Structures are given as C-alpha cells and as structure tokens.
Amino acid sequence: MRPRIVVVGSSNTDLVVAVPQIPAPGQTVLGGTLQTIPGGKGANQAVAAARLGGDVRFIARLGDDAYGAAARANFAAEGLDTHFVLTTPGVASGVALIAVESTTGENSIVVAPGANAKLRAADIAAASPAFDKAAVIVISLEIPDDAVFAAVEAGHARGIPVLLNPAPARHLPGDILRKLAVLTPNQSELAQLGGSEALLAQGVAALVTTLGAQGARLEQLNAPTEHFPAPVVTALDTVAAGDCFTGALAVELARGQSLPAAIRFACAAAALKVTRIGAQPGLPYRDEVLDVL
Ligand code: RIB
C-alpha cells in the first residue's frame, strides 16, 4: 500500500549554471552550459515522496506557458495526482535562477514566483477532496501565507499530521506553529525563525533541523536532543537536498515509522540526492535508499 501524501507548494523551472564559485555582490563569473531542469520546493518534495513510495496528490499553480506545460507533463510521468494542479491564465510559471559551485556543490538561488504567488486559500478550500484519506500533508513556503495557513488548518481540522518545510524562511504565527507535527528548517532557516528554543516554546511538536553533511537533529520539548549522521558522500549538487529530506520524512511517517527511523531514512535519501545533478532528476528511488541503509 502506498500511503497517501498531499503536497502543497511551488513548482519552478530551474535555470542552472555550474560556476567555479558563487558570485559575490557586483561580481560576474563565467559558468558552464545552461541547464533547464524541473524544480520548485513543492514539486521537488512531491516527486521525492512519489519516487520513495508515496501516493502523492500535489496542490499547486502553474502559468499558461511552455514551462507550465512541461511541468504538468513531468508530474504525470512521475505518477503524481495533478487534479489540483491549476493553471493561471496570463501568468508565467515559477522560475529559479540557480548557480551551483562546481567544487562544493553549494548553490545560490533566486526565484521568480510567477503563478506560485497566485495559489490562495480558496484553492486549498476547493481542493478539499484531495485531503481524503491523506496520511501526511507537506507544505513549503514558496507560496502565499493564506494558502500555507489554509493547508495547515485543513490538516489540523482533519487530524492529519502536517510537515512544514519553512523554506524560504519567514515569520510564522504561533497559532500555525503549534498545529504542526514536524518543522524541517535548515540551519539558516532555523536562525531566521528565532532558534530551537523559541520554536519549541511556541508549540512546534518536533523540530527536525537538516545539517547538510552532518545529517539532522531532532528536538522535542522535554526530550533529549538526538543527532542523526548522514552517510559520507561527495556532494556534486545540493539543490533540493532539503526537499528530498522532507519528502522522504513524509513517506516514512505516513508508512507508520517512528520519527527517528524516518529521519535516518531521510538522511540517506538526501545524501543520495547530493551525489546527482539537478533538482528532480537527482531525486532517489526507494530501492536506492534501502540499498544505502
Ligand atoms: O529547494 C530547491 C529548489 O528551490 C529549486 O528546485 C528551486 O526551484 C527553488 O525553489
């Protein structure tokens, strides 16, 4: 049985160039060949969850352009349920301009949200049937607040665990934080959100911070902090590693695994991702992660 997972978030087309180093402000660097790759945090999480064994319904907005059409075709090829992937007339699809540093795999990303900014609370309400029998809901922050809050409320009202990946980070009200089952920031997002203590004090049930090559950390109120090492790999491209982690965590929790077991699986999945080029093309399949474990 593939557990049902609802992903609410963005879809982008990634325009990627490998560079010798990430340019500093005012600096021009010459890079490699332009690559056009399916991306967007929401879509990456949805594809990761599908490849890792989830029955995934994606709620998103695309523009009515060639990028949007290509994204929709890609979602179908990945087996996502796209019934609630809407097309916004007269608006461009989301695009991300990405520089990937050849030596380290580190990246820098600028997003033009396009149709992602048109996903609103009314779309989440209209997608209400998508939440039927969902085991887990996954939400990220490249969409407007009212859509994020509506999706959190939709999960909370139905008793479905909500995983929120606070990327890119922005303030989240306490009323939303305390309705989350898991928050998955990276270290810089954690700092922007005020740090572990503040988040746990505001009612986040489980804080799972991704630490790059160092793996992940689990913090819960009144419980010892746990560290989970990542498999040692050579990183070629860190784009979508966090999305892969969040999608993997969702699948394992939806399969009834404990949080520590789900984090171990997610660390292995994300480690595999960074060994491969491109956001969605680089996402691993379930058997590959099981082999690593
Ligand atoms: O998390 C990686 C993603 O961030 C990229 O695929 C890009 O589209 C941006 O949304």
Side-chain angles (χ1 to χ4, degrees):
M1 273 290 284
R2 295 164 75 84
R4 180 161 298 163
I5 295 166
V6 176
V7 179
V8 182
S10 60
S11 171
N12 294 329
T13 299
D14 291 351
L15 304 180
V16 184
V17 181
V19 292
Q21 81 268 337
I22 303 286
Q27 185 186 10
T28 300
V29 297
L30 293 179
T33 307
L34 176 71
Q35 291 181 281
T36 304
I37 297 175
K41 295 184 194 302
N44 297 344
Q45 291 163 6
V47 170
R51 289 189 180 185
L52 295 170
D55 167 16
V56 179
R57 291 177 168 173
F58 188 33
I59 302 176
R61 272 196 180 270
L62 302 170
D64 64 347
D65 53 9
Y67 286 156
R72 187 177 287 281
N74 182 55
F75 299 154
E78 295 286 351
L80 307 186
D81 179 330
T82 57
H83 198 72
F84 298 101
V85 176
L86 306 168
T87 299
T88 312
V91 174
S93 296
V95 170
L97 306 178
I98 303 184
V100 177
E101 196 165 75
S102 310
T103 46
T104 62
E106 291 300 336
N107 63 73
S108 125
I109 303 179
V110 176
V111 174
N116 295 310
K118 303 289 183 190
L119 188 72
R120 309 313 297 259
D123 298 324
I124 308 303
S128 175
F131 297 99
D132 289 349
K133 300 201 179 102
V136 169
I137 297 173
V138 180
I139 306 166
S140 48
L141 298 185
E142 286 182 328
I143 54 174
D145 272 348
D146 68 322
V148 171
F149 299 168
V152 172
E153 298 291 353
H156 185 70
R158 292 167 175 80
I160 305 167
V162 177
L163 267 72
L164 194 144
N165 174 229
R170 62 174 182 261
H171 170 76
L172 293 164
D175 183 45
I176 291 296
L177 290 172
R178 69 172 162 269
K179 290 177 178 156
L180 305 178
V182 186
L183 187 72
T184 62
N186 64 21
Q187 286 168 287
S188 74
E189 290 153 359
L190 178 65
Q192 288 175 72
L193 292 171
S196 307
E197 261 181 53
L199 289 168
L200 292 173
Q202 286 177 87
V204 170
L207 183 60
V208 179
T209 305
T210 54
L211 309 171
Q214 271 67 55
R217 182 176 66 219
L218 169 62
E219 292 165 282
Q220 292 169 294
L221 213 54
N222 304 321
T225 298
E226 287 184 72
H227 288 266
F228 299 84
V232 178
V233 294
T234 302
L236 291 182
D237 179 4
T238 58
V239 172
D243 303 330
C244 180
F245 183 95
T246 295
L249 196 65
V251 170
E252 291 310 283
L253 293 177
R255 286 166 52 84
Q257 297 295 317
S258 68
L259 202 40
I263 294 170
R264 268 180 223 108
F265 183 93
C267 283
L272 270 177
K273 162 65 207 67
V274 303
T275 64
R276 300 165 181 184
I277 306 283
Q280 285 165 43
L283 295 168
Y285 290 86
R286 183 165 198 88
D287 287 354
E288 297 174 312
V289 179
L290 294 177
D291 280 350
V292 169
L293 287 170

